Amino acid sequence: MPKPVIPVAVVQPRLAIPPLAREPGAGPLADTRGRGLRDLRISVTDRCNFRCTYCMPREVFGPDYPFLPQAELLSFEEIVRVARAFHGHGIAKIRLTGGEPLLRRGVEELVAMLHEAMPAVDLTLTTNGSALKQKARALRAAGLRRVTVSLDSLDDATFRAMNDADFPVAKVLEAIDAAAAEGFAPVKVNMVVRRGTNDHEVVAMAERFRGTGHIVRFIEFMDVGSTNGWRMDDVVPSAEVVRRVGERFPCVPVNPLHHGEVAKRWRYEDGAGEFGIISSVTEAFCSTCNRARLSTDGAIYTCLFADRGYDLKAILRGGGTDEDLSRAIAAIWQGREDRYSEIRTAETARARKVEMSFIGG
Ligand code: SAM
Ligand code: SF4
Ligand code: SF4
């Protein structure tokens, strides 16, 4: 494997906000490819207690890794200001992520603040589950609607090796049950499938969650960031996942719930529920991609594979008004051209990109 590049999180380069292409008006925004803005992902911390080998490999994210200093993190008030400005442009969904979002102290307060400011927004969170059992009740009471838990294997040894933090499967399963008991059912369960590492677990994972109401989503291993040693050979195409699951449990495709939904849904023919596949590598969904990302330190990324973000923090901390924020978001979105997965080539795959733990998965 090539030696990974060590990213320097604290000096991520920033893009200046471009000028407005046209007055945004009251209607929905559209980028240069006519894609709307529907979904905002907010990274609330760049830290994590896991070292998943495909996301934050320990040899890079070691004890000396320069995580963001506290002063660089957006405060909850700043996050809510940005989220409101996005809401003014019509976003319908906010996902809190990271790093591990439940490590951010008082995250349930942030949930409450976002819910109070925008009660109609679909407020969700993605977590590794390690602290979910303790926090599920408070998160629910604060207004969180849904939760996604990442779980890459049901085999304890495989899971511990993949999270590289010796964290047991049983605790994540308990967290899923606890979340369901607090009213988060159905829980979505994300499994990143990596050939030769956990792909032998695909059918077992489908079987474990069939009939529970929870929805497993099989995700293709992606070439995010520059440190996870991605190779195309490690990707298990979703079509293969569907074939393997379908051979054991016959299934049929289901229509998407809304435009731009990234997971393709499959239903078990015997009525035991459904699962999803996220084919980010083999079937790019750039043409309908309607997501923006806010990094922990206040930059807007318009693509998961972007190498830099637009500096909103300078507006927030430089005395900018809500109107300034709103116009900056409009200008960024109007100029958006991203379609990385559609044009993924050997060359772009080698380029240095921002880490997923930094801008939020
Ligand atoms: N720490 C939380 C968690 O693991 O759920 C939230 C952040 S994590 C970056 C969000 C999601 O991205 C997780 O489901 C994780 O498995 C997924 N992910 C991380 N690196 C990935 C990669 N290289 N390819 C595909 N999915 C990845
Ligand atoms: Fe942490 Fe989530 Fe990345 Fe795993 S996938 S290292 S749990 S941020
Ligand atoms: Fe969206 Fe970028 Fe992923 Fe394409 S590559 S789907 S534009 S995040």
Side-chain angles (χ1 to χ4, degrees), residues 48 50-52 54-56 98-100 128 357:
C48 188
F50 284 13
R51 286 292 176 273
C52 302
Y54 54 73
C55 179
M56 296 178 75
E100 173 46 41
N128 63 23
S357 55

Side-chain angles (χ1 to χ4, degrees), residues 22-39:
R22 57 197 167 279
E23 281 302 317
L29 288 175
D31 70 9
T32 60
R33 299 178 180 277
R35 296 168 296 190
L37 174 57
R38 180 181 183 275
D39 194 334

